[in-house]
Structure formats: C-alpha cells, structure tokens
Amino acid sequence: MNGYVTMIIFVVAYLVLAPFVGGLLAGIDRKITARMQGRVGPPILQPFYDVGKLFEKEPITVNKVQDFYVLCFFIFILATGAFFFAGLNLLLVIFTLTIASVFLIVGAFSSNSPYAQVGAERELLQMMAYEPMVLLTAIGFYIFSGSFDVSAIVNLSGMPFFYLIGIFVGFVFILTIKFRKSPFDLSMSHHAHQELVKGLVTEYSGKTLGLIEIAHWYENIFLLGFVFLFFCNGTWWGYLIGVVVCLAAYFLEVLIDNSFARMKWQVAINSAWIVALCLGIGNLFILKFLLMV
Amino acid sequence: MAYVTKSPWVIHYDGSSCNGCDIEVLACLTPMYDVERFGIINTGNPKHADVFLVTGSVNEQNKEVVKQIYEQMPEPKAVVAIGICACNGGIFKECYNVQGGVDTVIPVDCYVPGCAARPEAIIDGVVAGLGVLAAKREAMAKGGSIPAPEAPAEEGKEEA
Ligand code: SF4
C-alpha cells in the first residue's frame, strides 16, 4: 500500500515539476550558449516566454490528423516519464518512448512538406542510431541488478556506475542525439540552421509547436533520470552524486553543441553503433565475467 | 499579458535588395548587437515567425513570394520594411521591373528608412513592431478578429 502512495507521489511530482525544471534548464542552456559565443543572451525564462507566445498564436495546421499525432506524441512522452518515475519496467519505458517518436515522425510525414519529410527520414535514422545503446543500457541494468524494474534498481546497495562505466559513457554519447544537439541535430535543431528550415517541425506552428517544445522538456528530464539511475545506491549521497552528474552531463552536452558543426547522418549512425558495440557490449561481457568469478 | 512582445521570432526576406540591408539585418544577430537579448530569433520559416523583415523593393518576380510568405505567417504578425528600397523603391524605383515598396503588395506596419539601414535603426523598427503585435494580440484575445488591413493599392504607393 505504502509503495503505491510513493509511486503516485513520484508520478505527480514528475508531471507537475518536469516542465518547469526542463524549461529552466533550456533557458540556462541558451544563456550558457550565448556566453560561450561572447553574447549576452536571452533571459533565463525565455523558453517559457516562447511557449507562452506559441500558445497565443492563431492555429494553422496543414491537415487535421497532424494535431492528433502531436497530441499522441505528447501523451506518450508523458507516459514514458510517468512509467519511469513510477518505478516500472525499463523495457516498457523504452518502448513507450519509441512509440512517442513514431507519432512525431508520422505527423511530419503527413504534412507532405519536403522539409518535414526529410526531417522525418533523418529522425528515423537517428532512432536507428540511438536505439541499440538505449536497449543495451537496460540490459546492463538487468544483468547487474537481476531486474528490469526501476524501483528495484534504485534501492540496490552497490552503485551501478562502477560496473557499467562503459555503458554510462555510451549513454551520454547518445544523449547528444536525444537532446538534439550538434553534431547530431540532423532532424531539427534549436538554432537557425537554414539548410532544412526547422526539419521535422517545419510545418507545425502555434499551439502544436508549443506542445512539442513542452514534450521536449519532459523528455529531457526523463533522460536525465536515466543518468541519475547510474548513481543510485539507496543512500542520500548516492542521490546527490546522481543530481550533480546529471547537471554536469547537461553542461557537457551544451559544450559539445557549441564546439561542433552539424555532421552527416552516416557519421551519426556509424559512431553511435561503434560506441554501442565497443562500450556497450564490451561492458556487458566484462560485467558478466565479473559476476561469475 | 502578451508574451508575443517577449519572444518575437523574425523571418527575413530579401526582395531585390543590393545586399547592403541584408548584411545589416544579419549584423543584428552578431555578438555586437545580439538581438537574442530580446528573445528575437531568426527562424527562416514563415510558420514560426511573428515579424516579417523585408529588405529591397518588390518586383514582378517576387511579389507573389512576398505575398505567400505573409499569408503563411499565423496572426498576430507584423511587417517591417527595412531600407529605403523596401519603403518606397529607393534608387531602384525607376527600374522597368520594380513595382515599388513592400506596401504595394502587403500591409506594412513599420518603415525603417536608410541606405543601408543601420542595425540600431533595424532593432528600433522591430521594437516598434512589437507594439503592433501587442495590439493585434489584444484584439484577438477579446474574441474579435483582427481588423483587416486596408488592401494595398495595386499601382504602387502614392507619393506622400
Ligand atoms: S536601401 Fe540601400 S543598402 Fe538597402 S537594399 Fe536599398 S540600395 Fe541596398
């Protein structure tokens, strides 16, 4: 009974707080980016102003189904995070995340705009690039803890990080793709790259675009939750290290974003798969070996 | 509160400009002027834009393009004509293919004269455009539709 209460508290806290924390992180990101480029940069609350503005705009859609797909994307992203923070099965979480991305891609395809379609194709390639590493991360947690359940992993006595260092580095690598940062911001990006206009979200405007932005904040917090999971060992200092490493990982992604130009999709797939093979599978073998002796 | 004044995203279209004004528009984005301080982002996508910056005069080739970009922008939106060419045709006014300023095809809210318009003047023009955005947003919030702008004269703007 007690378990259910904490579960509900965590889910509600995630659903309420994640957009605020995510938006704040996005604002800090833009400020740091500006400072790295020698600019003053927008106010920290700028992402909230942007979304507020988008919700004030006149609704224009290419076709009716598009809005439906975006709504599904939004709901499934929320479900992904909710499942994760409820402590449910990691595989369920990953597959829900995949379904969410599929809705966004189908929505972009349905618009028939060449920019959105190229963006959608690139998003598919990106999914192919990061998916193996995400699955290996879940498998790594399973081999280490004997369970796919997040609630079981959180309360382990040992810190998963020490056994899963390779997988951790690999996961941070694919975070660049998931956060839509250069060099892997192929399908859409936060900056004004003119090559593909806005890629995936070219045809979305107003409220729909605002929803995608909020979903992105939810998704970022959920992904940082994954990073946090590596440092859980059932004690408060483990949680503290987890939060600090989450912030450090976020800063690292901002730094990478500002130091690279956009690369071709071939580089994204090749590098992500090589990382998954070497660091991910290599780590799994070593872990299995360590647990046997 | 109108958030639109805090995050005006712009789209920049080059009519038949000599490129002087375009370079000044892009100069606004550099660290020297850094318009992102005001939440201004250059989107390059009419569907995401709130403010339409046009440089250069309108000619027979591009008047449809200008119209189409304007129509694709969701309300509330504002148009800023940058440079004397965009205001009334400028030195290209007498050319056989030039129709005149931007206001011969779409309603213009702010005029930024100058050849080339300085970045400070352009930022000033966009800030003046924010007032138009806020007024339009207020009209929308009250439930009424936005007052339709007067149809621009077909033959070109009369001399003031
Ligand atoms: S106003 Fe001057 S600088 Fe600007 S486009 Fe016209 S001729 Fe060029």
Side-chain angles (χ1 to χ4, degrees), chain A residues 207-229:
Chain A
K207 280 191 188 66
T208 337
L209 188 63
L211 268 189
I212 292 177
E213 196 58 32
I214 296 175
H216 191 54
W217 297 344
Y218 270 113
E219 197 183 356
N220 285 356
I221 294 300
F222 149 71
L223 289 165
L224 288 177
F226 239 106
V227 174
F228 179 74
L229 210 55

Side-chain angles (χ1 to χ4, degrees), chain A residues 30 37-43 46 49-50 52-53 56-58 60 62 192 197-198 201-205 209, chain B residues 1-4 6-7 9 31 34 36-37 39 41-45 47-50 72 74-76 137 140:
Chain A
R30 281 176 69 175
Q37 298 168 351
R39 297 188 284 116
V40 176
Q46 187 63 41
Y49 300 150
D50 288 348
K53 189 265 316 257
E56 282 177 351
K57 297 281 280 185
E58 167 195 30
I60 293 185
V62 182
V197 193
K198 254 294 201 172
V201 295
T202 303
E203 296 303 320
Y204 298 125
S205 62
L209 188 63
Chain B
M1 181 169 66
Y3 284 110
V4 74
K6 289 194 169 170
S7 119
W9 294 356
D34 186 29
E36 210 194 345
R37 278 178 298 158
I41 292 180
N42 186 10
T43 59
N45 180 356
K47 294 197 173 169
H48 296 179
D50 310 294
Q72 283 189 358
E75 290 284 358
R137 168 65 207 160
M140 270 173 84

Side-chain angles (χ1 to χ4, degrees), chain A residues 8-23 48 74 78 81-82 85 214 217-218 221:
Chain A
I8 289 169
I9 291 175
F10 269 104
V11 170
V12 170
Y14 169 74
L15 292 180
V16 173
L17 294 180
F20 293 101
V21 181
F48 296 107
F74 183 74
L78 256 62
F85 284 93
I214 296 175
W217 297 344
Y218 270 113
I221 294 300

Side-chain angles (χ1 to χ4, degrees), chain B residues 17-18 20-21 83-85 92 114-116:
Chain B
S17 143
C18 76
C21 285
I84 196 67
C85 291
F92 300 114
C115 178

Side-chain angles (χ1 to χ4, degrees), chain A residues 224-242:
Chain A
L224 288 177
F226 239 106
V227 174
F228 179 74
L229 210 55
F230 279 93
F231 296 90
C232 284
N233 60 356
T235 59
W236 64 267
W237 54 269
Y239 298 147
L240 192 69
I241 294 176

